[in-house]
């Protein structure tokens, strides 16, 4: 049976040149190289916002620890699947059945898409679950196909799935609790082979969810993912600006801004994340619309994260 544990996800911004050292330091200090304790990874993003609300942290800057045996940082794809509330466990189970890493589930509210589905919107709740998982880069397409089938995402109103490149990180592999029959778990054996093979390419598998490659999915490519991090009270107003600027839909979730140093925060600690995909050609117009909508003033204290999707 599947067991569920409460978890917390922390997002830290820092200069890109310090990312690898910071990931290795966090993984070592939080013992994330041991299976079952969590994951840490880096993504490269562009960040826009007022200078006074700069979210970058200097606490993890500087040289980090050197690489030790068994402490490999690997290349992954981050896959996020947004489905109706109550359907997240089905997606999570399908992920685990492929042998992928442990997924995380968090909650949000959908906006945009359901409002354009006419009478069908009555049967589509706004409450959403977001299933997030790191998979080996070479398994990205097969995992996407599996999740489309598991969530029937090729049907209107069911949800959507997207993938993002992760240049390096430490994943949280599936583990079994209780008495073990052998001296080492399968995860420990796989990690040892990864070290011997200097990577995860040896795990490459030729499979898809239906046994044959699908070429008719109509995957959307060459988009960017945009995440607006704003004061919680401004989320509805900024979401309306996002929709008017060309976003097809967005998922809104809650977050908390935290100061490790204890210094006063310029922005409100109660935050909302407005997450959506958009054509790169629309980004400049989106930023301009946000400026005109006072998204970057003290009341909204919004900053914008952009990365390839």
């Amino acid at each position: 049976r599947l067991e569920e544990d409460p978890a917390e996800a922390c997002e830290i911004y820092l200069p890109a040149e310090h990312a690898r050292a910071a990931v290795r330091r966090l993984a070592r200090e939080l013992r994330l190289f041991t299976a079952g304790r969590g994951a840490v990874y880096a993504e490269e993003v562009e960040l826009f916002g007022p200078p006074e609300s700069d979210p970058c942290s200097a606490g993890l800057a500087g040289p980090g620890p050197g690489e030790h045996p068994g402490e490999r940082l690997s290349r992954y794809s981050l896959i996020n699947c947004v489905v109706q509330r109550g359907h997240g466990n089905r997606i999570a189970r399908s992920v685990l059945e492929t042998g992928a890493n442990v997924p995380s589930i968090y909650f949000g509210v959908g906006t945009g898409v359901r409002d354009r589905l006419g009478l069908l919107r009555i049967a589509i709740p706004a409450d959403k679950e977001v299933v997030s998982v790191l998979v080996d880069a070479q398994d990205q397409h097969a995992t996407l196909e599996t999740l489309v089938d598991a969530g029937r995402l090729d049907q209107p109103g069911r949800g959507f799935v997207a993938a993002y490149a992760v240049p390096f990180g430490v994943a949280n592999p599936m583990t079994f609790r209780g008495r073990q029959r052998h001296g080492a778990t399968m995860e420990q054996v796989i990690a040892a082979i990864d070290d011997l093979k200097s990577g995860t390419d040896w795990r490459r598998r030729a499979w898809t969810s239906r046994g044959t490659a699908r070429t008719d999915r109509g995957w959307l490519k060459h988009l960017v993912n945009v995440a607006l991090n704003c004061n919680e009270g401004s989320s509805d107003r900024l979401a309306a600006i996002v929709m008017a600027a060309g976003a097809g839909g967005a998922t809104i979730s809650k977050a908390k801004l935290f100061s490790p140093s204890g210094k006063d925060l310029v922005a409100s600690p109660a935050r909302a994340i407005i997450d959506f995909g958009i054509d790169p050609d629309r980004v400049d117009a989106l930023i301009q619309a946000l400026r005109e909508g006072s998204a970057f003033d003290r009341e909204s204290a919004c900053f914008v994260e952009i990365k390839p999707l």
Side-chain angles (χ1 to χ4, degrees):
R1 65 185 178 90
L2 295 182
E3 293 192 10
E4 299 180 9
D5 289 327
E8 291 184 312
C10 302
E11 190 170 79
I12 304 166
Y13 294 97
L14 71 166
E17 61 268 22
H18 300 307
R20 184 174 291 272
V23 165
R24 192 177 299 282
R25 178 178 298 170
L26 286 168
R28 184 172 297 178
E29 294 187 2
L30 299 175
R31 294 165 50 203
L32 300 182
F33 291 110
T34 300
R37 292 188 57 87
V40 58
Y41 58 90
E43 297 177 287
E44 188 165 352
V45 303
E46 293 182 84
L47 209 57
F48 296 88
E52 61 271 18
S53 62
D54 182 9
C56 286
S57 169
L60 288 169
E67 182 175 347
H68 288 182
E71 296 186 349
R72 177 175 300 279
L73 303 182
S74 300
R75 183 168 58 93
Y76 294 103
S77 286
L78 174 66
I79 294 181
N80 284 343
C81 184
V82 181
V83 293
Q84 296 177 26
R85 182 74 66 92
H87 294 184
N89 275 2
R90 179 196 306 168
I91 299 298
R93 185 178 291 275
S94 69
V95 167
L96 292 171
E97 287 175 350
T98 68
N101 298 301
V102 174
S104 300
I105 301 176
Y106 61 94
F107 302 111
V109 176
T111 183
V113 173
R114 64 188 294 272
D115 298 327
R116 289 195 291 273
L117 292 177
L119 292 176
L120 184 60
R121 72 183 294 272
I122 298 174
I124 301 177
D127 292 339
K128 305 297 181 184
E129 288 183 272
V130 183
V131 183
S132 181
V133 62
L134 287 176
V135 302
D136 291 324
Q138 64 262 23
D139 293 333
Q140 170 185 295
H141 186 72
T143 305
L144 289 171
E145 292 279 357
T146 297
L147 296 187
V148 170
D149 288 341
R152 292 186 285 177
L153 303 181
D154 48 1
Q155 300 181 15
R158 291 286 183 175
F160 61 91
V161 63
Y164 317 83
V166 172
F168 51 85
V170 178
N172 187 22
M174 181 170 57
T175 57
F176 294 88
R177 292 178 174 170
R179 171 179 281 181
Q180 305 291 326
R181 293 181 57 192
H182 305 287
T185 65
M186 180 57 67
E187 291 73 30
Q188 289 171 321
V189 172
I190 292 173
I193 298 177
D194 286 347
D195 280 335
L196 291 174
K197 296 286 190 178
S198 299
T200 61
D201 286 346
W202 67 274
R203 302 192 214 164
R204 189 183 302 273
R205 292 172 289 177
W207 59 272
T208 65
S209 57
R210 296 185 178 180
T212 58
R214 292 293 304 273
T215 59
D216 57 343
R217 287 289 193 197
W219 294 103
L220 299 175
K221 299 182 179 180
H222 311 298
L223 300 177
V224 294
N225 185 85
V226 181
L228 272 57
N229 187 319
C230 62
N231 286 344
E232 186 176 353
S234 302
S235 61
D236 289 343
R237 180 174 64 85
L238 296 186
I241 293 175
V242 164
M243 297 302 146
T251 304
I252 305 175
S253 56
K254 294 183 179 180
K256 180 176 71 173
L257 189 63
F258 175 71
S259 172
S261 65
K263 68 178 182 180
D264 292 338
L265 298 169
V266 174
S268 167
R271 309 292 288 172
I273 310 296
I274 307 172
D275 197 274
F276 56 95
I278 197 170
D279 190 290
D281 293 338
R282 294 179 179 265
V283 170
D284 289 343
L286 170 67
I287 298 296
Q288 182 60 32
L290 291 171
R291 292 189 191 280
E292 294 173 356
S294 302
F296 302 121
D297 63 9
R298 184 176 291 272
E299 180 182 350
S300 297
C302 176
F303 55 90
V304 184
E305 170 193 311
I306 301 175
K307 63 183 178 182
L309 169 63

